[in-house]
Amino acid sequence: AERGPGAAYHMFVLMEDLLDKLKLLSYEEEALRRHNMRPLSRCPSPAPPGRLTAAGAQGPWGSTRGGPHYFALPTNPGEQFFMFCTLAAWLITKAGCPFEQPQEYDDPNAVISNVLSELRKFGRPVDFPPSKLKAGYGEQVCYVLDCLAEEALKYTGFSWKRPVYPTEELEEEEITEDDAELILNKLEEDVVEEDSDNEENFIDLNVLKAQTYRSDMNDIAKQEEILQSTTDAAEWNLEVERVLPQLKVTVRTDNKDWRIHVDQMHQHKDGIESSLKETRGYLDKLHNEISRTLEKINSREKYINNQLEHLVQEYRSAQALLSEAKQKYQEGSGGVTERIRVLSEITEVLERVKQETEEKGSSMTDGAPLVKIKQALTKLKQETIQMDIQIGVMEHTLLQSKLKEKSNMTRDMHSTMIPESTVGAY
């Protein structure tokens, strides 16, 4: 949903409400004094120098800076974030949920996650990313602290009541009057009191006429005194000096009064208009000088272009020739590269042929192969002799077996009885 134009100032209202709620919870005695922090007063006060964080801001472990809009405006991100974590932990504990106090080297993301989880447990919606709280100021920070303060007030049993406005008694101003006027007024009051005592439920016309006549005579006497005064001038001056301090009227100026703001606006408007008249002359003069300078630059540029036109043509033709030469060079360099590649291949083949030729020449001049052949022939002859011996032994063995078999057959043929087992075998 689209927000109205006053949404940007909503956090200031939240901060004002939060400050009142914190004071109701006595946060100065219970939370701030333990960590050596200053309270969030209505009037901003400078903070003494403390430790520096990694971002270069004043560290959170010194005395903090108080102000009516402390969490609404960015003043010191590291200090504001630690103040937010400290108050949030104290408010959660105050609301009946034990919460560990954050320390110096704690992970800020973990602290923010724990605070938001506790806020969700109270049933408060969290529709913003946790990174909004890492800065230590803004509408989200004021919202979280305000919700936690409300939960703490509910847990302590606090209830809002209607305000009771005190009755202011107006002080009566004492005015010192002249002796003659004082006596005359007293006489008139005495007469009025006597008349009021005498009349019961009716009006006496004679008394009314007498009062009218007496008032007319008093007016005539006053007029005559005004026309011709009998008072001494020195006594008059002394009386004026005595009464003058009491006649001074002091009007206390209130900075919140809209009339003062309107007067300031009119004063600023007049100052701006007077300054604008003087500044407009300088600006017009500067504009005219810049316009003349631009015209001179344009005319000088046209003159230079006309004077250097033939040089520009030569430069363009030279650029065209340079581009053609670059193209030819690229084509030639491409052919050279191809030929270098072919040359490298041929060189590799030549090196391989040279190596093979050297190997063959060394093998031809070397007598080691011949010695190896002779040794092989000698070994072969020895193996042939051994094979011949083995063949002769085998032939002898075979001959003996054959002769034995033949003798067995002859013996069997000359035997008279041939066993059944032997017949079956043949």
Side-chain angles (χ1 to χ4, degrees), residues 12-251:
F12 296 99
V13 180
L14 280 177
M15 185 61 201
E16 292 287 342
D17 295 340
L18 172 62
L19 191 58
D20 294 335
K21 294 172 184 176
L22 290 175
K23 288 185 176 181
L24 291 174
L25 293 170
S26 302
Y27 78 109
E28 298 177 1
E29 293 80 7
E30 298 182 11
L32 299 185
R33 289 184 180 177
R34 297 179 183 178
H35 303 281
N36 193 19
M37 295 180 179
R38 291 187 180 182
L40 306 179
S41 61
R42 294 287 179 179
C43 298
S45 60
R51 294 181 57 185
L52 295 179
T53 61
Q58 182 175 338
W61 305 103
S63 299
T64 59
R65 179 180 305 175
H69 307 301
Y70 182 75
F71 292 112
L73 299 175
T75 56
N76 193 331
E79 174 186 314
Q80 287 175 307
F81 179 73
F82 178 71
M83 188 72 168
F84 162 72
C85 295
T86 303
L87 290 179
W90 176 72
L91 289 173
I92 292 171
T93 307
K94 194 77 173 175
C97 299
F99 193 86
E100 186 178 358
Q101 183 66 30
Q103 301 299 325
E104 180 178 5
Y105 299 104
D106 290 348
D107 186 11
N109 296 321
V111 175
I112 292 172
S113 178
N114 295 333
V115 170
L116 292 180
S117 64
E118 294 292 337
L119 187 63
R120 293 189 184 95
K121 289 180 183 178
F122 291 127
R124 299 285 183 166
V126 181
D127 54 354
F128 53 86
S131 59
K132 294 286 187 181
L133 303 178
K134 193 176 292 185
Y137 65 90
E139 185 177 356
Q140 290 78 14
V141 173
C142 297
Y143 168 74
V144 171
L145 292 177
D146 186 67
C147 293
L148 294 176
E150 288 184 359
E151 296 297 331
L153 289 173
K154 289 180 183 178
Y155 185 79
T156 55
F158 179 80
S159 60
W160 296 97
K161 298 180 181 179
R162 291 184 176 274
V164 178
Y165 299 102
T167 57
E168 297 181 356
E169 296 181 358
L170 298 177
E171 297 180 357
E172 296 181 357
E173 297 181 357
E174 296 180 357
I175 302 174
T176 58
E177 297 178 347
D178 195 3
D179 295 336
E181 294 178 354
L182 184 61
I183 294 171
L184 183 61
N185 291 332
K186 286 182 178 180
L187 290 174
E188 291 179 356
E189 290 175 359
D190 294 339
V191 172
V192 170
E193 287 176 359
E194 290 176 357
D195 294 338
S196 60
D197 292 335
N198 292 329
E199 68 179 8
E200 296 175 352
N201 292 325
F202 59 90
I203 299 173
D204 192 356
L205 295 177
N206 295 324
V207 174
L208 183 61
K209 288 181 181 179
Q211 291 178 357
T212 305
Y213 177 75
R214 193 179 294 107
S215 62
D216 293 337
M217 293 299 293
N218 290 332
D219 293 337
I220 294 170
K222 288 181 179 179
Q223 291 178 1
E224 290 180 353
E225 290 180 356
I226 292 172
L227 293 176
Q228 186 177 359
S229 178
T230 59
T231 306
D232 189 5
E235 294 179 358
W236 179 266
N237 291 330
L238 290 174
E239 185 67 19
V240 169
E241 291 178 359
R242 186 181 65 82
V243 181
L244 185 61
Q246 300 177 5
L247 298 178
K248 290 182 179 179
V249 179
T250 58
V251 180

Side-chain angles (χ1 to χ4, degrees), residues 194-333:
E194 290 176 357
D195 294 338
S196 60
D197 292 335
N198 292 329
E199 68 179 8
E200 296 175 352
N201 292 325
F202 59 90
I203 299 173
D204 192 356
L205 295 177
N206 295 324
V207 174
L208 183 61
K209 288 181 181 179
Q211 291 178 357
T212 305
Y213 177 75
R214 193 179 294 107
S215 62
D216 293 337
M217 293 299 293
N218 290 332
D219 293 337
I220 294 170
K222 288 181 179 179
Q223 291 178 1
E224 290 180 353
E225 290 180 356
I226 292 172
L227 293 176
Q228 186 177 359
S229 178
T230 59
T231 306
D232 189 5
E235 294 179 358
W236 179 266
N237 291 330
L238 290 174
E239 185 67 19
V240 169
E241 291 178 359
R242 186 181 65 82
V243 181
L244 185 61
Q246 300 177 5
L247 298 178
K248 290 182 179 179
V249 179
T250 58
V251 180
R252 295 180 180 179
T253 59
D254 189 5
N255 293 327
K256 296 183 179 180
D257 191 4
W258 62 271
R259 296 179 181 84
I260 296 176
H261 293 296
V262 171
D263 294 337
Q264 291 178 355
M265 290 171 62
H266 286 299
Q267 292 176 1
H268 293 319
K269 180 183 176 182
D270 297 336
I272 291 170
E273 289 178 352
S274 61
S275 302
L276 183 60
K277 291 179 181 179
E278 185 179 358
T279 307
R280 184 174 293 175
Y282 293 115
L283 292 176
D284 294 338
K285 184 178 180 181
L286 183 62
H287 175 69
N288 296 328
E289 291 179 356
I290 292 172
S291 301
R292 288 195 298 270
T293 306
L294 289 175
E295 290 177 358
K296 290 179 181 179
I297 291 171
N298 291 329
S299 61
R300 182 63 63 181
E301 185 178 358
K302 291 179 181 179
Y303 175 75
I304 292 172
N305 290 332
N306 294 328
Q307 293 293 326
L308 301 178
E309 186 175 1
H310 64 285
L311 296 176
V312 173
Q313 295 294 334
E314 291 178 0
Y315 175 71
R316 289 176 182 173
S317 61
Q319 276 189 337
L321 294 174
L322 179 61
S323 61
E324 292 177 359
K326 285 183 179 179
Q327 186 176 2
K328 291 180 180 180
Y329 172 75
Q330 290 178 357
E331 293 175 357
S333 63

